[in-house]
Structure formats: structure tokens, C-alpha cells
Amino acid sequence: MARQARGAAERQLRARRVIPVPLPLRIAALLAASVQALRERLGTQLAAGPCLALLAQHFVETWRGVVKPARTRSRKVRDRDRGECQVPGCSHRAAHAHHVLFRSQGGDDEPDNLGAMCAFHHLRCVHGGFL
């Protein structure tokens, strides 16, 4: 019964375009102070959503040159394959690194057993059993 009540409350919040996000108190306080500072700087009572979007945009612009993407195994394989899906005829961006010989069949995680694939070909076609 409690689950149904919580589900109904969440649907009402979504209908009002409100999304509850559990945050640690210190993070919530920092966010509230950031929103208030932005509103003061702009000289207007901008709604919370646009304020958060502007804060996120500022964060990305500030840290863009500093933070580098992690060099994961998947990233290395996708870079090796020029970021393109390796399925013949596909021109989509590679989002995944796929095991040519599945680990369950004795394949390893070495780069020569991995190939870059778009999400569609990897998840729907290979793991769906069509490719």
C-alpha cells in the first residue's frame, strides 16, 4: 500500500513538472546558494530549472579543458576504430566495445578481441541474436 501511495505522489509531482532529488544536506545548501547567487547576478527571479541549466552550462564551460575523458578499455578500442561502428555499412558513432569472442565462450578483454559498435548493432543485433 505504501508503494502505491508513493507512486501516486511521484506521478502528481511529475504532472506538476517537479522532480524530487534526494541530496546530502550540504549539497542541497550549496545548490540553493548557487541558485540564489545566479538570480542576484541576473537581477531576476528565474525559475529553478533554468537556473540549474545555466549553472550546469557554466560548470561544463569552466571545466571543459581540464577534465579529460577516462581512458577505459572501451574508450581505447573506440579510439582505435576511429569512433565508428565496425559493422559493414553502418555510419553511426561507436558507443560500445563488443567482445568478438564472448567471455562466456573463453574470450578475453584484450583489445584484439574487442570491436567498436554503435548501441543498436551491439545491443539489439548482436545480443539480440540477429548478428
Side-chain angles (χ1 to χ4, degrees), residues 79-97:
D79 287 347
R80 178 198 69 198
D81 294 342
R82 297 174 313 283
E84 298 172 355
C85 180
Q86 296 301 295
V87 173
C90 183
S91 61
H92 287 98
R93 179 183 64 83
H96 302 176

Side-chain angles (χ1 to χ4, degrees), residues 17-78:
R17 301 185 82 180
V18 175
I19 301 172
V21 179
L23 292 173
L25 188 57
R26 63 185 180 87
I27 301 299
L30 178 64
L31 249 162
S34 299
V35 166
Q36 185 58 36
L38 180 61
R39 288 175 174 160
E40 289 173 6
R41 182 167 189 149
L42 295 175
T44 182
Q45 280 299 317
L46 200 59
C51 280
L52 290 174
L54 286 170
L55 288 169
Q57 181 182 6
H58 175 70
F59 179 87
V60 169
E61 289 170 0
T62 300
W63 293 98
R64 177 174 285 138
V66 178
V67 178
K68 295 188 173 39
R71 294 289 296 166
T72 61
R73 181 181 301 118
S74 177
R75 168 71 61 194
K76 290 175 186 174
V77 169
R78 288 181 285 147

